[in-house]
Amino acid sequence: QVQLVESGGGLVQPGGSLRLSCAASGSFNSIDAMGWYRQAPGKERELVASIRSAGTINYQDSVKGRFTISRDNAKNTVYLQMNSLKPEDTALYYCNADVWSRYYTKRSYWGQGTQVTVSS
């Protein structure tokens, strides 16, 4: 059983910044990839950024150069630093984690989401 709790969302003006956090808790052996997804009204959920435990990082093209993903493995926490925010970044942001159980099975978990709204 794993829980992912996101925080850090809010309302910000265009060009502003926010930092999202997601902490994993519960019973598990380790976490492989962690990532951030977002979903705007009427649109499909899309990958924003992901990071593996060893450090390999992927970004959606639209956020490259503006967003930075990082993680603290000791705290089982992933972060998303969002700079130069645009109205098109407005969405519900979800944390995702690929978790290894003590029986060496992998399962994907999702957080409840945190709202990011970019407007003037």
Side-chain angles (χ1 to χ4, degrees), residues 2 13 25 33 50 66-67 75 78 82 98 105 110 112:
V2 178
Q13 293 184 331
S25 63
S50 65
R66 299 189 297 120
F67 292 9
K75 296 181 178 179
V78 63
M82 303 184 293
D98 293 329
T105 58
W110 293 90
Q112 80 288 345

Side-chain angles (χ1 to χ4, degrees), residues 65-94:
R66 299 189 297 120
F67 292 9
T68 302
I69 190 170
S70 62
R71 65 190 287 173
D72 185 334
N73 290 333
K75 296 181 178 179
N76 295 314
T77 299
V78 63
Y79 307 93
L80 185 67
Q81 178 66 47
M82 303 184 293
N83 298 326
S84 302
L85 283 162
K86 305 174 181 179
E88 64 193 64
D89 295 317
T90 296
L92 189 63
Y93 283 69
Y94 294 93

Side-chain angles (χ1 to χ4, degrees), residues 52-74:
R52 288 188 171 272
S53 60
T56 303
I57 294 173
N58 288 314
Y59 291 105
Q60 182 190 88
D61 287 343
S62 66
V63 307
K64 288 181 179 178
R66 299 189 297 120
F67 292 9
T68 302
I69 190 170
S70 62
R71 65 190 287 173
D72 185 334
N73 290 333

Side-chain angles (χ1 to χ4, degrees), residues 3-115:
Q3 297 82 42
L4 302 178
V5 180
E6 304 104 328
S7 62
L11 175 65
V12 65
Q13 293 184 331
S17 298
L18 287 173
R19 191 190 191 208
L20 306 183
S21 299
C22 172
S25 63
S27 299
F28 55 89
N29 274 350
S30 63
I31 301 175
D32 185 12
M34 301 187 80
W36 290 95
Y37 291 73
R38 66 186 182 188
Q39 187 169 20
K43 294 187 176 181
E44 298 288 337
R45 187 175 300 184
E46 62 181 3
L47 174 69
V48 178
S50 65
I51 181 170
R52 288 188 171 272
S53 60
T56 303
I57 294 173
N58 288 314
Y59 291 105
Q60 182 190 88
D61 287 343
S62 66
V63 307
K64 288 181 179 178
R66 299 189 297 120
F67 292 9
T68 302
I69 190 170
S70 62
R71 65 190 287 173
D72 185 334
N73 290 333
K75 296 181 178 179
N76 295 314
T77 299
V78 63
Y79 307 93
L80 185 67
Q81 178 66 47
M82 303 184 293
N83 298 326
S84 302
L85 283 162
K86 305 174 181 179
E88 64 193 64
D89 295 317
T90 296
L92 189 63
Y93 283 69
Y94 294 93
C95 178
N96 174 263
D98 293 329
V99 179
W100 288 100
S101 75
R102 65 189 300 270
Y103 303 108
Y104 303 101
T105 58
K106 186 184 287 187
R107 180 179 174 182
S108 182
Y109 290 87
W110 293 90
Q112 80 288 345
T114 184
Q115 179 67 39

